[in-house]
Amino acid sequence: MIKNALLSLKKNIGKTILLFVIIVVITNLVIAGLSIQSATQKSMDQIRSSLGNDVTLSVDFRNMMKNREPGESVSNENTLTTTMADTLKDLKYVENYNYQISTSANSDSINAVESETDNNQQDTNRPDNQKNQNSTQGDFTISANTTMKYLDSFTNNNYKITDGRLLTTQDQNTNNCVIETNLASDNNLKVGDTFTINTTVNNETITQELTIVGLYEIQSTDNIGGAHFNNPVNTIYTDLSVGQTLTGNSENITSAIYYLDDPENAEAFVELAKKKSDIDFDAFSLDANDHLYQQNASSLESMQSFAKMFVWIVVIAGSAILCLILALTIRNRYYEIGVLLSLGQSKVKIIAQQLIEIGLIAVVAFVISLGTGQLTSRYMGNMLESGSSSNVMQMDQKGDQSNDNQQKTNTQTKENFLGNMMEGPSNQELDVSITGENIVQLAGVTAAICIVSIAVPAAYVLRLTPRQILSRKEG
């Protein structure tokens, strides 16, 4: 059969070239669609991973603002407590957690690092007799945590410990703290030194002594140069108990962050938390931090859907075209088929020869498409990316704006997580390289197309008897 198939291909060279060109085009388009599908899925997985595996529980300020009357002050009735947060820390998917309190304080023993912005604002916005008056906002931002081990700024290497260590759960109920190197340098402080901070709660002055156990250096941030109370060099990291002392409440916290075993389980954890806990999720939000993922992934999902639909269209259209060509070819081989049937050759062998003929062509086309398909994939990927680039840019701008607003208006949320999210692989070029899985899929699709394109016309012809076939005029 193989020998007859080779002779037939050589004899009908025009048909062979036509089938070869069509199959090459089909396999190139299929491999392009498959590689774009896998590339978009990989990009979405990378974006999801870059967002981290954390879910944040905090007061839903947006809902509070939405429900208040015009001109009405924001209610402080809803406060997050450690008791509420504890109901979620032992749920499935949770590996670790961190409770946070964000507040501010002043100090009589150390000075905050001043910036040019501070001086300009004082000179232009305050009368001379008010320049030295203290504002209600403290000079220092206090970030009190159960542990610093999982804080994004440190895990992403935006902040780096230069001396000493980070605070851990072993520092519970201590006055240990970690400060920035510039703040330490300006005040001639080092690891082991102590200083005091103070704040006023209910007209009562609270003073807290702190001991430095670590110094950190800021590698990159968008906040340097802002007002000193927003300047990250003036952020002091303490144990949660210090934050509770400074706020005058041993129960309330700003937010609770739960670190999951896998980023993919974020939605499942949120649903489980809502089912298992008594927390009022109209007043509190459990944020999986995936809204920017949804924005940035939408274009990739559209691209993936298009690639999937494109593959199906190519497969169906390619099969139809091959069926038509092979049907016309088989009609021209009525006499040959009739003679072979008359000589006692089985219909199975005749169909098998047809499959071998187109299979030989498909193998050559398949090998060539592994090389040319990469170019086709890259071209289609660039075309799809350029078509959606304006939307992605708009999404990034919205993400950056929301990040700025979050840092300026709500220091009580997990630090800098929105900004860090946007530094993920969402802005990287789509990787459309052909994978082993793509090759296997292409082989399966190519084989299916060949079988369908032979089976349909062959079934029509071979249902006839040899006498009926020979009685028909060739051509």
Side-chain angles (χ1 to χ4, degrees):
M1 288 189 295
I2 296 178
K3 183 179 179 180
N4 290 337
L6 291 172
L7 290 174
S8 177
L9 291 175
K10 185 176 180 181
K11 177 182 177 182
N12 302 287
I13 189 67
K15 179 204 75 172
T16 301
I17 294 175
L18 177 62
L19 290 174
F20 173 77
V21 171
I22 292 175
I23 295 178
V24 166
V25 172
I26 292 174
T27 52
N28 271 270
L29 294 177
V30 169
I31 193 66
L34 293 174
S35 62
I36 291 174
Q37 270 187 271
S38 61
T40 51
Q41 183 60 53
K42 182 165 62 176
S43 294
M44 286 191 289
D45 291 341
Q46 289 175 338
I47 295 174
R48 175 69 263 184
S49 297
S50 73
L51 301 184
N53 60 338
D54 53 288
V55 179
T56 303
L57 175 66
S58 59
V59 176
D60 192 342
F61 291 102
R62 287 174 296 182
N63 198 38
M64 290 172 58
M65 294 295 293
K66 186 190 303 181
N67 294 331
R68 75 185 183 97
E69 296 295 329
E72 181 183 0
S73 60
V74 179
S75 172
N76 292 322
E77 293 180 0
N78 297 322
T79 54
L80 181 63
T81 66
T82 54
T83 301
M84 296 166 60
D86 285 344
T87 62
L88 305 184
K89 70 178 184 180
D90 296 321
L91 290 181
K92 183 180 179 182
Y93 310 122
V94 177
E95 286 193 333
N96 293 287
Y97 66 93
N98 179 32
Y99 297 165
Q100 288 188 327
I101 294 176
S102 293
T103 185
S104 64
N106 293 300
S107 177
D108 295 326
S109 61
I110 64 172
N111 296 316
V113 176
E114 297 288 339
S115 65
E116 185 177 345
T117 305
D118 296 324
N119 298 328
N120 290 340
Q121 286 179 342
Q122 289 179 354
D123 292 340
T124 58
N125 297 334
R126 296 183 184 180
D128 290 339
N129 61 353
Q130 293 182 2
K131 287 181 182 179
N132 295 323
Q133 292 181 1
N134 292 329
S135 65
T136 56
Q137 174 67 51
D139 289 339
F140 301 94
T141 297
I142 307 301
S143 178
N145 299 270
T146 306
T147 175
M148 293 178 64
K149 183 178 179 180
Y150 308 104
L151 295 183
D152 282 356
S153 292
F154 293 93
T155 58
N156 294 337
N157 294 321
N158 290 332
Y159 295 3
K160 182 180 179 181
I161 283 288
T162 59
D163 191 15
R165 61 179 177 81
L166 295 176
L167 300 177
T168 67
T169 53
Q170 301 300 316
D171 295 287
Q172 183 177 359
N173 296 322
T174 68
N175 64 342
N176 295 338
C177 73
V178 176
I179 67 173
E180 209 273 335
T181 54
N182 290 286
L183 178 61
S185 176
D186 283 10
N187 292 278
N188 297 316
L189 296 174
K190 62 182 184 300
V191 172
D193 288 347
T194 62
F195 63 93
T196 60
I197 56 176
N198 57 76
T199 188
T200 301
V201 177
N202 297 326
N203 296 321
E204 179 183 351
T205 300
I206 298 175
T207 301
Q208 174 72 50
E209 183 180 68
L210 299 177
T211 300
I212 303 172
V213 297
L215 301 177
Y216 70 92
E217 183 178 50
I218 298 176
Q219 306 293 313
S220 65
T221 182
D222 295 331
N223 290 344
I224 292 180
H228 59 270
F229 50 80
N230 280 333
N231 195 330
V233 299
N234 292 319
T235 296
I236 301 174
Y237 292 91
T238 70
D239 175 60
L240 189 71
S241 60
V242 174
Q244 292 172 332
T245 298
L246 294 175
T247 56
N249 192 302
S250 61
E251 183 72 9
N252 293 349
I253 58 176
T254 300
S255 62
I257 305 169
Y258 304 93
Y259 301 93
L260 310 184
D261 53 1
D262 192 319
E264 295 296 328
N265 293 328
E267 292 184 9
F269 170 71
V270 172
E271 292 301 320
L272 182 63
K274 291 180 178 179
K275 184 183 301 183
K276 294 289 186 179
S277 72
D278 295 327
I279 297 174
D280 181 7
F281 286 103
D282 289 330
F284 299 91
S285 64
L286 195 56
D287 187 3
N289 303 329
D290 63 349
H291 49 287
L292 288 181
Y293 164 76
Q294 299 296 338
Q295 289 180 343
N296 285 272
S298 62
S299 60
L300 291 173
E301 289 174 345
S302 298
M303 197 181 300
Q304 188 179 46
S305 298
F306 171 81
K308 186 176 182 179
M309 181 178 64
F310 178 79
V311 169
W312 277 107
I313 291 174
V314 170
V315 169
I316 294 173
S319 299
I321 293 172
L322 287 177
C323 282
L324 178 61
I325 294 175
L326 291 173
L328 294 174
T329 301
I330 289 178
R331 287 177 61 87
N332 291 331
R333 298 174 65 177
Y334 274 173
Y335 183 77
E336 176 188 345
I337 294 173
V339 171
L340 291 174
L341 289 173
S342 298
L343 294 175
Q345 192 166 15
S346 67
K347 294 181 179 181
V348 173
K349 286 187 176 182
I350 294 176
I351 295 176
Q353 179 180 329
Q354 303 293 322
L355 281 173
I356 290 173
E357 290 179 15
I358 194 169
L360 291 172
I361 298 173
V363 168
V364 178
F366 174 82
V367 173
I368 292 176
S369 68
L370 294 181
T372 58
Q374 183 70 62
L375 299 176
T376 306
S377 300
R378 187 172 293 111
Y379 174 79
M380 289 185 60
N382 291 338
M383 182 176 64
L384 291 172
E385 279 188 314
S386 62
S388 61
S389 60
S390 59
N391 292 333
V392 173
M393 288 177 62
Q394 292 176 359
M395 292 173 187
D396 288 345
Q397 290 171 357
K398 290 178 181 178
D400 291 337
Q401 290 172 359
S402 66
N403 178 38
D404 292 340
N405 292 334
Q406 183 77 2
Q407 291 174 338
K408 291 178 181 178
T409 63
N410 186 12
T411 60
Q412 300 175 341
T413 56
K414 185 169 71 73
E415 58 172 32
N416 298 334
F417 72 91
L418 292 178
N420 292 326
M421 276 196 256
M422 298 311 299
E423 295 173 5
S426 58
N427 296 325
Q428 295 180 359
E429 183 179 354
L430 193 67
D431 180 12
V432 292
S433 56
I434 298 175
T435 65
E437 183 180 2
N438 296 148
I439 295 175
V440 173
Q441 291 173 330
L442 177 63
V445 171
T446 304
I449 291 176
C450 292
I451 292 173
V452 171
S453 60
I454 282 294
V456 173
Y460 171 76
V461 174
L462 297 181
R463 65 186 178 84
L464 303 175
T465 64
R467 180 186 294 272
Q468 290 174 320
I469 294 175
L470 291 172
S471 65
R472 292 171 179 260
K473 183 180 179 180
E474 290 192 49

